[in-house]
Amino acid sequence: METIKLYDNDAYATEFSAKVLSCTPVVRNNIDCYAVVLDRTLFFPEEGGQSPDKGKINDINVIDVQISKNIITHFTEAPVQTDSEVKGCIDFSHRFSNMQQHSGEHIFSGLVSSLYGFNNVGFHLSDNSVTMDYDGVLTAKDIDLLEKKVNEAIYKNIGIITGYPSKEELASIDYRCKKELSGAIRIVTIPGYDCCACCAPHVKRTGEIGLLKVIQLQNYKGGVRLHILCGKRAMDHFRESLYLIDSLTDVMTTGRDNLKANISAMKTEIQSLNTSLASAKQELLLAELSSIPESLENVTVFKEKTDSFIMRTVINKLAEKHKGICSFFSGSEEEGWAYFITSKTVDCREVQKKLAQFNARGGGRSEMVSGSVKASKEALRNALS
Ligand SMILES: [Zn+2]
């Protein structure tokens, strides 16, 4: 027996009573639970890309709701008595949020269809995100226009009509999402904006959607994927974004208007300071190493972490002065070392082989090798001596 969908006629009802037709213990996603079929329900199942309603049956949590062949199955944490009357209630704040997102999506998709001729080929509505896929490319400018028009439709507070037209009536209606469906087809109409086959609960008037905001646009399978937020979700996002901006103005001790310019200026200043710092470090290092007597043939130097450009300059300077093997290690014993080794008289690849005992990773030419290694200074000195 097909389940009577109480949410079809009243998307705002939260409580209902029903008769238990069956209750079977099952394992679902590795969880022991019960598959409960009622003669009627307010629980909207997972369908058409929308996640299911949440709620309770006789104070027992409903953890999932599925539909197959028009029979709705509730998965509950505990059993209920077959043939008994049960009371069900749905989490309306969750349901209403889904209604806001879904009705917003219909207006958006209706406008995409009428203005650009693209079809909605994917819809996903979960607790965390709402995505819509279209089979054509929309630009950021298109999105601005669509967003503006959707929100105008919201302000107009248009009544949304749902119903099951007869076959004859259906033949004369131009609606989206036509599918070869057996049985009655539910049509959701937003006059002036959209007409679409849809099984989900919707708000009564567009004003209840509150607000629609596109938060992300990405290319997807030759078309686009949009992430949207409606109603309370959009408001929460707005609040979080403002909080973030205000935190940044606090950190930067400036107003919102100057925030972007201040951060850009700070980035430029940091880049310039980094360049000055690197050149000062290099000068200091070279001055320090110039005190090593030229008579010393082999030189091994350990220094704190520095960038590879400085390391190259230093190793080249050392090689100008010292005839043997010049090794420069930058880093620490704890974190490991980056190294450059050069020589005019010895094949550095042979030196590299000596570092293999410390699992050194590196390579190079006979004149110079480089890599990274983790070992004590003493062990490295011994290996190179
Ligand atoms: Zn729909």
Side-chain angles (χ1 to χ4, degrees):
M1 191 180 112
E2 291 187 357
T3 313
I4 298 166
K5 299 168 179 173
L6 297 170
Y7 53 82
D8 256 5
N9 291 330
D10 190 354
Y12 294 79
T14 56
E15 292 179 356
F16 67 104
S17 58
K19 190 180 161 189
V20 180
L21 300 182
S22 67
C23 177
T24 322
V26 289
V27 178
R28 192 168 168 74
N29 302 326
N30 292 325
I31 297 168
D32 288 321
C33 58
Y34 298 83
V36 177
V37 177
L38 308 174
D39 64 340
R40 41 155 89 200
T41 189
L42 270 181
F43 281 87
F44 179 74
E46 182 175 5
E47 194 175 11
Q50 180 168 330
S51 59
D53 277 334
K54 294 176 176 176
K56 289 174 189 288
I57 293 174
N58 278 359
D59 287 329
I60 300 162
N61 282 330
V62 174
I63 53 177
D64 194 6
V65 190
Q66 295 291 321
I67 185 166
S68 174
K69 294 173 184 162
N70 274 324
I71 296 170
I72 294 174
T73 304
H74 312 74
F75 294 89
T76 61
E77 289 181 340
V80 286
Q81 187 67 47
T82 303
D83 286 334
S84 70
E85 280 284 320
V86 288
K87 292 228 175 290
C89 71
I90 59 152
D91 174 347
F92 189 68
S93 67
H94 177 261
R95 156 72 75 79
F96 186 66
S97 173
N98 280 358
M99 283 157 54
Q100 287 182 314
Q101 317 306 315
H102 202 134
S103 298
E105 180 271 324
H106 273 228
I107 303 176
F108 201 99
S109 294
L111 282 165
V112 169
S113 172
S114 61
L115 295 178
Y116 301 91
F118 302 149
N119 299 303
N120 179 314
V121 288
F123 175 59
H124 174 79
L125 164 51
S126 72
D127 294 356
N128 308 317
S129 77
V130 186
T131 61
M132 314 177 304
D133 304 336
Y134 296 101
D135 59 1
V137 175
L138 295 166
T139 64
K141 207 176 156 199
D142 299 331
I143 300 300
D144 281 350
L145 176 74
L146 285 160
E147 229 178 47
K148 189 170 153 265
K149 286 192 173 290
V150 173
N151 284 294
E152 276 168 12
I154 293 171
Y155 310 148
K156 285 182 194 165
N157 202 20
I158 303 159
I160 297 180
I161 305 149
T162 59
Y164 289 90
S166 67
K167 266 194 176 157
E168 295 71 41
E169 287 170 318
L170 207 56
S172 65
I173 301 173
D174 181 21
Y175 62 97
R176 293 189 301 113
C177 300
K178 275 194 181 121
K179 280 180 205 152
E180 291 300 320
L181 292 172
S182 57
I185 292 175
R186 186 168 181 264
I187 296 291
V188 177
T189 309
I190 305 171
Y193 289 92
D194 190 41
C195 184
C196 184
C198 178
C199 50
H202 283 265
V203 294
K204 263 193 193 122
R205 304 192 74 87
T206 57
E208 293 171 71
I209 299 165
L211 167 73
L212 180 143
K213 184 80 192 81
V214 176
I215 54 164
Q216 203 185 339
L217 164 66
Q218 52 191 142
N219 293 326
Y220 185 74
K221 291 184 176 174
V224 288
R225 169 167 284 184
L226 303 182
H227 295 249
I228 61 158
L229 294 173
C230 293
K232 184 175 175 293
R233 291 193 194 184
M235 180 64 189
D236 288 345
H237 186 78
F238 182 49
R239 190 183 288 118
E240 283 160 20
S241 302
L242 274 190
Y243 176 76
L244 177 66
I245 294 168
D246 287 342
S247 310
L248 289 174
T249 57
D250 278 353
V251 171
M252 299 298 295
T253 52
T254 186
R256 282 183 200 167
D257 293 347
N258 299 323
L259 191 57
K260 193 180 168 193
N262 278 26
I263 290 175
S264 297
M266 188 177 76
K267 263 183 89 176
T268 310
E269 196 183 341
I270 288 171
Q271 275 160 3
S272 147
L273 286 173
N274 277 341
T275 309
S276 307
L277 184 65
S279 110
K281 269 185 179 174
Q282 185 176 307
E283 291 299 314
L284 190 66
L285 208 48
L286 290 174
E288 219 178 294
L289 298 179
S290 67
S291 64
I292 301 172
E294 211 166 329
S295 56
L296 209 62
E297 291 208 345
N298 298 334
V299 181
T300 303
V301 179
F302 293 92
K303 287 288 168 195
E304 65 183 25
K305 199 171 175 181
T306 186
D307 68 57
S308 65
F309 174 76
I310 294 179
M311 288 179 75
R312 266 180 195 280
T313 309
V314 168
I315 198 81
N316 287 333
K317 281 275 174 204
L318 284 175
E320 280 172 19
K321 241 176 84 184
H322 306 278
K323 291 194 186 76
I325 303 164
C326 300
S327 315
F328 185 62
F329 291 85
S330 150
S332 65
E333 291 189 348
E334 296 72 32
E335 303 263 306
W337 308 94
Y339 65 83
F340 277 90
I341 299 169
T342 186
S343 176
K344 285 175 180 147
T345 50
V346 177
D347 186 342
C348 292
R349 290 171 297 189
E350 294 304 315
V351 184
Q352 168 78 22
K353 280 181 192 164
K354 294 196 172 185
L355 298 182
Q357 59 182 303
F358 310 114
N359 296 321
R361 296 156 71 99
R365 297 166 289 116
S366 76
E367 304 81 38
M368 188 185 285
V369 292
S370 63
S372 60
V373 65
K374 198 170 180 187
S376 70
K377 288 181 190 177
E378 197 191 351
L380 289 167
R381 271 189 210 283
N382 288 339
L384 293 169
S385 65

